[in-house]
Amino acid sequence: MEVRNETLMGTTSIVTDLKQYSLPIGPWLTLPEVKDGKYWMGGKLDFGDIEEKYNLVFTTYGKVAMAYNPSLLNPSRAREMSYWDLAGTEFKGKIVMNDPRGAGPGQATALFYYMEPKLGKNFLKALAANELVFSRDDRQILEWISRGKYVAALGHSDLMVNELQRAGVPNINSQPVLKEGTFAPNGFGSIIILDNTPHPAAARVYTNWLLSRDGQIAWSKATNQPSRRVDLPGDIADTEIMLKPGISYLLTYKEEIVLKRAEVLEAIYEIFGRN
């Protein structure tokens, strides 16, 4: 393993592989603006690990539920839809999804479907029976939507939707949430301090800068993902994926959910076959 002072990544690898090599992060936080809960969503620092002391999460965003072609699906209809509508005959053979059998946003989306009590394994089976199509090429998925080959896309790249829209590609809309809610991943927005770090002073300085207001502004501008800090300008990240009140979000970066991935993957293989 490469020796680093600290590691930034999603929580899956951290809680399954690296937590045993990490130190409690609290003693490394020295800036008052970093430690004070009033600067963070929910009034406190957020963690991916069950113990809430190793894996500090500083980015959380709402995964867009669906991309669709507005020439084929009326936006007012899209806003009222349930996920179960996608399993109906109206959408048979008309939905493309990022392949959930490999790591990535498709698998994370399938994890949400499996864990959401109003959907579950039966919903995955219903999607499979509705002639769901897979692709691992995010650009291809969204170009298919734009050209009208498919009506809707699941598990797609939210950032690529924005990129194509800015480039003037027509007929790609996003529906941020459907009736049952959506999930909230953290992307690469979490940090741990590795044990036996070779440069502890540098690790302390970098960690505190990263979690400061200036550091989080720089992070959000670079990644287009919203910070969990509440004192940042509202226009530096993609506003569509910012967490919103009144919406049910499954926090898929939490350790208790991450540890369900093996179970979910077996269900995916059972329903869709192995790739």
Side-chain angles (χ1 to χ4, degrees):
M1 179 185 301
E2 181 186 1
V3 179
R4 295 280 301 279
N5 289 315
E6 65 289 307
T7 296
L8 296 174
M9 60 173 62
T11 62
T12 300
S13 296
I14 288 176
V15 302
T16 58
D17 299 323
L18 297 177
K19 191 171 79 167
Q20 60 184 317
Y21 304 111
S22 61
L23 299 171
I25 200 169
W28 295 77
L29 306 180
T30 56
L31 284 180
E33 66 160 295
V34 169
K35 297 187 292 182
D36 194 333
K38 72 180 182 182
Y39 294 111
W40 297 93
M41 291 175 61
K44 64 178 183 177
L45 295 170
D46 190 33
F47 292 86
D49 61 286
I50 292 172
E51 296 87 350
E52 297 192 343
K53 63 180 182 179
Y54 297 107
N55 180 205
L56 195 154
V57 175
F58 55 85
T59 292
T60 311
Y61 60 92
K63 183 70 178 73
V64 172
M66 177 179 71
Y68 66 97
N69 185 313
S71 296
L72 301 176
L73 177 62
N74 190 293
S76 62
R77 163 92 166 106
R79 288 191 290 269
E80 299 298 322
M81 283 177 59
S82 158
Y83 287 98
W84 283 102
D85 291 330
L86 300 174
T89 55
E90 174 187 359
F91 293 96
K92 189 169 185 177
K94 298 178 181 179
I95 300 173
V96 59
M97 182 176 183
N98 187 296
D99 194 340
R101 296 169 297 181
Q107 191 173 112
T109 300
L111 171 68
F112 162 65
Y113 295 158
Y114 186 91
M115 297 298 299
E116 166 54 48
K118 296 177 183 177
L119 300 173
K121 189 175 181 179
N122 285 337
F123 176 69
L124 287 172
K125 290 180 177 179
L127 276 183
N130 216 29
E131 299 179 7
L132 183 65
V133 175
F134 291 152
S135 172
R136 294 187 179 178
D137 185 329
D138 277 316
R139 191 174 191 90
Q140 179 186 61
I141 288 171
L142 295 173
E143 286 178 351
W144 279 344
I145 296 299
S146 175
R147 297 202 305 264
K149 183 173 183 178
Y150 298 100
V151 174
L154 307 173
H156 59 287
S157 167
D158 304 329
L159 295 179
M160 188 166 289
V161 169
N162 295 336
E163 177 185 323
L164 294 178
Q165 287 174 337
R166 287 194 298 269
V169 176
N171 290 324
I172 302 177
N173 274 20
S174 291
Q175 179 54 38
V177 63
L178 299 185
K179 280 186 179 179
E180 293 82 1
T182 186
F183 63 100
N186 75 304
F188 290 98
S190 74
I191 186 170
I192 60 169
I193 305 293
L194 293 176
D195 195 4
N196 296 320
T197 177
H199 304 291
R204 190 180 304 275
V205 170
Y206 175 74
T207 299
N208 282 273
W209 173 81
L210 175 69
L211 299 173
S212 71
R213 185 175 187 271
D214 288 345
Q216 286 298 284
I217 287 174
W219 172 271
S220 290
K221 284 182 176 178
T223 64
N224 206 29
Q225 294 177 355
S227 169
R228 292 188 63 85
R229 282 194 67 121
V230 298
D231 59 341
L232 270 59
D235 59 351
I236 60 173
D238 182 357
T239 57
E240 190 170 68
I241 63 176
M242 289 181 177
L243 300 188
K244 298 175 178 61
I247 294 177
S248 173
Y249 295 101
L250 179 69
L251 303 180
T252 53
Y253 59 86
K254 294 292 187 178
E255 184 172 1
E256 55 267 31
I257 302 296
V258 170
L259 295 179
K260 290 281 188 180
R261 284 180 180 269
E263 176 186 333
V264 175
L265 192 55
E266 283 305 308
I268 288 171
Y269 290 151
E270 174 190 334
I271 294 168
F272 299 111
R274 293 182 181 269
N275 52 340

